[in-house]
Amino acid sequence: MCGIFGYIGNKNSIKECLQGLKLLEYRGYDSAGIATIQDAKILSFKSPGKLIELEKKINIFKDLKFDLAIGHTRWATHGSPTLANAHPHFDEKLKLAIVHNGIIENYASIRKKLLSKNILFRSETDTEVMAQLISYYYANDLLKAFDKAIKELTGSYAIALIHANHPDEIVASSKESPIVIGFDDNKDEIIISSDPNAFLGRNLNILFLKNNEIAHIKNKKINIYDKNLKIIHKKTERLNSKNISFSKNGFEHYLLKEIYEQPLTIQKAFLGRIQLKSGEVEFEDFNLPKSFLKKFKHIIITACGTSYHAGLCASNFFQKYLKINCSVEIASEMRFKDLNLTKDTLIIAISQSGETADTLSAIRKAKENNCHILSIVNVKNSTIARESDSSIFLKAGPEISVCSTKAFTSQITVLYLLAIYFARSRNLLEKKDAQIFLKELKKIPNIIKKILKKRKEIEKIAQKYAIYNSFFFLGRNLMYPTAMEAALKLKEISYIDANAYPAGEMKHGPLALISEKLPIVGFCLNEKTYDKMLSNLMEAKARSAPILAIASKKSYGIEDIADDIIWVDKVIDDLAIFPATIVGQLLAYFIAIIKKTDIDQPRNLAKSVTVE
Ligand code: M6R
């Protein structure tokens, strides 16, 4: 994972680097570090823990002017999150500093080779092995040494490096890990980053490095080389994010702000896409060939974490309206499965960040099998968006909290619209039926607003339930993936053990765990399975489990079973995911507040998971 950043330009490079790393900290926050060059020597600062710790260390240098700097924010893979393992890493002579995102698979054998040449190592990391190898090949030409070294590496990397003998140069390269370079028209500032999020607040030309390409930046020049070290010319795009900023808007945490944004973000996901009069759905920038649209025979949705749950929620809807099979694959597993992938398979890849390595691997495998890849992503210009045949964007704005909330509800919205779009294109859905559904969907933002007003009530219930060490989240039909998502929220931000089960499965084993110490959160918003859900809750109650139910105002019988009920407005079964999810998010948030956890940056996690 990790975020890397490099800066050459007319501003204070240390300050710019810190600013850039702040925008990349969501990629990992186990340690951070910055290196620059002063008097032909590498000057570096590192700190375990969050960026704020590093900032404290370099405060006195923040006003000095350095022309260039590289920086890193780490999510630990090889080696624990200690100072010694923090990036940048150096060669033995401390002439070269390198920052790296990715994993070098053959680092052990290279390390062995270098150890046999009596080269001393300071850390356990694969990154230091790279630094030492480049240095080993160095003979006054940084680019050549770099090129020779990376040809020996297997695995994935995005690298930026500086050398004390070359005080005006940065070299960078990418293999299976993204690197984007941004620069203004005069190249007064040239920035290297793991992703365009670090360009927030700027108006830049950008270019992405492809696998094995090397960027050599020197004297306001950016030369890009291919794997044969031949200069290539790359197209640039314009990215203007001058008016976008990260802010909590007065909320205590990004998470709460993002939960509260959902009435708006859901609206943004359907705005301009729903044509109520004709009962049609339209997507901008959508280039699925018409012939394919009519003929694909199978849908595979692939994603991770919360995005996977969104896929589970939507698959039923695709099957219902398209009358074809729609399976959902966890991306990290899909790559290793023997799936029947053909040119008639539509792959829908869902990812908030568009950078998740597992999802990328899954779509690359599908591409090898000539499948059409349609991605649903939030971040434009992300790797998944760029590698897909077509993309639909969530338009939810930056999601900063590691715990995903608004992306989930936008994903469901877009997936539902997509199902309607396909069904209408294939003449499988009548205009009036589409209109009825779309009208109901348009009501969701207001339904959510009402739940958000129940904040105090949910906070009170959270206080009662925060004493427990384990939870079961139960649901049936669409409420099962909804329960999975709610359980993930609780685990992720409160560090409480939370398991989700299809309620009917309890009697096949998990019921053995039930006691007065294990509360059940029951999602009772599906009319189709309501009676059965009540029976399952009764079975748990009979074994003394405290029961917290989420039910709609028109339901009956639940009051006799549940200890606590959070009432929400009644919506049609397909849309019940929305109110249930908002309650789950708020419940997790308020329990985490009581647990005093690091809500926006939970331990051991990162927002963008760029390793497999
Ligand atoms: O960016 P993506 O949607 O591809 O991320 C997938 C998961 O890593 C992500 O949803 C993760 O599960 C969240 N932290 C859950 O809140």
Side-chain angles (χ1 to χ4, degrees):
M1 251 120 70
C2 313
I4 69 168
F5 189 86
Y7 179 92
I8 301 192
N10 54 13
K11 295 201 184 125
N12 181 333
S13 62
I14 299 267
K15 258 191 187 164
E16 294 302 317
C17 223
L18 273 172
Q19 183 52 30
L21 291 179
K22 267 183 202 159
L23 297 171
L24 293 175
E25 203 179 13
Y26 72 92
R27 299 177 69 100
Y29 34 82
D30 286 333
S31 64
I34 285 181
T36 183
I37 298 169
Q38 186 183 39
D39 304 329
K41 283 193 182 121
I42 296 281
L43 175 67
S44 72
F45 313 89
K46 303 201 234 185
S47 179
K50 293 192 180 175
L51 196 61
I52 186 89
E53 302 305 323
L54 177 73
E55 207 167 354
K56 284 180 206 158
K57 275 193 179 172
I58 53 182
N59 253 339
I60 44 164
F61 287 91
K62 257 167 66 184
D63 294 325
L64 293 180
K65 170 108 181 48
F66 297 98
D67 294 333
L68 95 191
I70 54 172
H72 189 269
T73 173
R74 179 170 187 241
W75 188 79
T77 54
H78 287 64
S80 47
T82 58
L83 180 65
N85 288 335
H87 296 219
H89 287 284
F90 315 101
D91 64 330
E92 190 185 9
K93 297 170 220 134
L94 295 176
K95 284 282 199 181
L96 180 154
I98 186 169
V99 288
H100 165 222
N101 169 31
I103 295 176
I104 302 303
E105 284 159 4
N106 61 340
Y107 84 105
S109 62
I110 299 175
R111 186 182 164 106
K112 203 168 154 196
K113 168 177 128 179
L114 295 173
L115 282 171
S116 75
K117 314 262 180 221
N118 295 324
I119 291 172
L120 292 179
F121 281 80
R122 295 182 188 86
S123 78
E124 305 159 33
T125 64
D126 51 342
T127 307
E128 186 186 359
V129 171
M130 278 196 284
Q132 302 276 24
L133 188 67
I134 298 165
S135 178
Y136 177 68
Y137 287 131
Y138 175 75
N140 295 322
D141 188 327
L142 190 56
L143 183 65
K144 274 200 181 141
F146 184 80
D147 177 57
K148 198 162 177 192
I150 60 168
K151 288 208 163 94
E152 272 183 41
L153 307 176
T154 59
S156 64
Y157 52 77
I159 316 168
L161 84 99
I162 56 174
H163 194 291
N165 295 354
H166 304 261
D168 53 358
E169 291 175 44
I170 297 185
V171 181
S173 185
S174 150
K175 189 178 167 210
E176 313 292 350
S177 279
I179 281 217
V180 56
I181 301 175
F183 50 96
D184 60 293
D185 292 339
N186 297 327
K187 299 202 178 77
D188 286 334
E189 291 183 279
I190 303 175
I191 305 169
I192 296 152
S193 172
S194 292
D195 67 53
N197 281 312
F199 300 155
L200 208 80
R202 299 175 188 267
N203 184 359
L204 296 173
N205 305 297
I206 61 164
L207 62 86
F208 289 89
L209 289 189
K210 285 209 174 125
N211 275 350
N212 303 312
E213 289 177 351
I214 301 176
H216 184 217
I217 302 165
K218 185 181 177 181
N219 296 336
K220 290 192 170 201
K221 260 197 178 159
I222 306 166
N223 282 330
I224 311 289
Y225 296 88
D226 68 8
K227 62 172 191 266
N228 302 316
L229 224 53
K230 285 217 167 72
I231 290 199
I232 49 170
H233 296 282
K234 287 180 74 85
K235 268 197 185 155
T236 59
E237 298 165 45
R238 193 79 181 174
L239 180 75
N240 188 356
S241 50
K242 240 191 155 115
N243 300 321
I244 306 174
S245 65
F246 286 173
S247 140
K248 288 187 198 151
N249 269 355
F251 285 93
E252 199 182 334
H253 295 99
Y254 280 111
L255 181 60
L256 194 60
K257 175 197 163 217
E258 287 159 6
I259 291 174
Y260 269 77
E261 276 180 314
Q262 290 173 104
L264 191 67
T265 48
I266 291 171
Q267 228 165 8
K268 281 190 179 164
F270 65 59
L271 219 70
R273 290 171 172 167
I274 292 180
Q275 309 304 329
L276 214 47
K277 240 183 171 177
S278 58
E280 300 287 350
V281 167
E282 282 171 9
F283 292 106
E284 62 293 345
D285 306 329
F286 187 54
N287 58 0
L288 202 64
K290 279 233 157 61
S291 54
F292 181 74
L293 187 64
K294 300 247 182 259
K295 76 160 199 225
F296 66 83
K297 295 197 176 85
H298 179 204
I299 298 177
I300 297 180
I301 299 180
T302 187
C304 305
T306 286
S307 299
Y308 168 70
H309 296 157
L312 288 176
C313 290
S315 66
N316 195 46
F317 202 70
F318 278 108
Q319 294 190 149
K320 175 165 138 188
Y321 285 116
L322 288 178
K323 316 272 180 255
I324 59 173
N325 287 338
C326 173
S327 51
V328 191
E329 300 291 339
I330 291 189
S332 56
E333 290 295 311
M334 176 166 156
R335 212 181 133 186
F336 304 101
K337 265 191 166 174
D338 294 317
L339 295 166
N340 189 15
L341 300 173
T342 71
K343 61 179 178 13
D344 293 331
T345 312
L346 172 65
I347 302 289
I348 302 179
I350 314 171
S351 174
Q352 186 285 131
S353 62
E355 300 296 343
T356 302
D358 290 324
T359 312
L360 248 179
S361 297
I363 66 174
R364 283 176 182 158
K365 172 183 168 166
K367 265 186 143 176
E368 284 166 17
N369 289 278
N370 303 316
C371 304
H372 185 97
I373 317 289
L374 165 59
S375 61
I376 295 177
V377 288
N378 195 30
V379 181
K380 281 198 173 175
N381 289 311
S382 56
T383 313
I384 290 176
R386 284 182 286 115
E387 292 202 12
S388 303
D389 297 304
S390 36
S391 299
I392 303 176
F393 296 101
L394 299 181
K395 303 196 232 172
E399 190 181 66
I400 309 299
S401 181
V402 167
C403 178
S404 186
T405 51
K406 63 175 178 173
F408 178 75
T409 45
S410 293
Q411 286 163 347
I412 306 276
T413 308
V414 167
L415 285 160
Y416 276 3
L417 292 185
L418 189 62
I420 300 286
Y421 173 82
F422 286 150
R424 293 284 286 145
S425 311
R426 290 182 166 204
N427 297 325
L428 293 168
L429 182 65
E430 293 289 326
K431 173 179 162 183
K432 73 168 184 349
D433 294 329
Q435 284 170 323
I436 292 171
F437 177 80
L438 294 171
K439 260 190 201 158
E440 292 301 313
L441 181 63
K442 283 184 100 174
K443 288 183 196 161
I444 291 298
N446 279 333
I447 303 246
I448 293 180
K449 277 184 195 159
K450 282 197 193 164
I451 300 171
L452 294 173
K453 284 192 184 137
K454 285 174 168 276
R455 175 186 173 148
K456 284 269 167 287
E457 179 192 328
I458 297 175
E459 199 172 350
K460 220 166 149 198
I461 288 179
Q463 274 159 11
K464 178 170 169 190
Y465 283 84
I467 55 162
Y468 296 102
N469 296 325
S470 298
F471 279 76
F472 272 5
F473 284 71
L474 303 185
R476 297 186 78 126
N477 195 240
L478 283 182
M479 288 295 101
Y480 170 49
T482 310
M484 290 167 84
E485 174 58 8
L488 178 62
K489 300 300 88 156
L490 187 67
K491 280 189 248 229
E492 193 174 7
I493 59 169
S494 71
Y495 314 152
I496 290 175
D497 175 33
N499 292 297
Y501 285 101
E505 269 296 292
M506 290 295 288
K507 54 189 177 293
H508 300 290
L511 212 52
L513 292 171
I514 293 295
S515 76
E516 73 287 354
K517 292 189 182 137
L518 202 156
I520 304 277
V521 182
F523 290 89
C524 310
L525 297 179
N526 245 240
E527 207 167 300
K528 202 164 151 191
T529 58
Y530 183 75
D531 291 337
K532 294 230 171 329
M533 184 68 197
L534 286 201
S535 308
N536 298 140
L537 291 181
M538 281 287 269
E539 288 151 16
K541 189 185 170 70
R543 285 145 184 101
S544 313
I547 311 268
L548 165 60
I550 293 112
S552 74
K553 284 176 189 155
K554 287 187 188 151
S555 39
Y556 52 92
I558 187 69
E559 277 160 295
D560 302 330
I561 301 171
D563 298 284
D564 297 280
I565 304 173
I566 299 171
W567 297 107
V568 299
D569 282 355
K570 174 127 188 74
V571 296
I572 57 170
D573 273 11
D574 285 324
L575 297 177
I577 300 161
F578 290 98
T581 295
I582 306 298
V583 172
Q585 292 169 350
L586 286 172
L587 186 69
Y589 176 77
F590 290 119
I591 292 181
I593 288 277
I594 295 160
K595 295 276 172 189
K596 295 192 169 54
T597 56
D598 192 341
I599 289 184
D600 283 330
Q601 295 183 322
R603 68 184 181 204
N604 306 336
L605 301 178
K607 182 74 184 156
S608 184
V609 186
T610 56
V611 290
E612 286 181 64

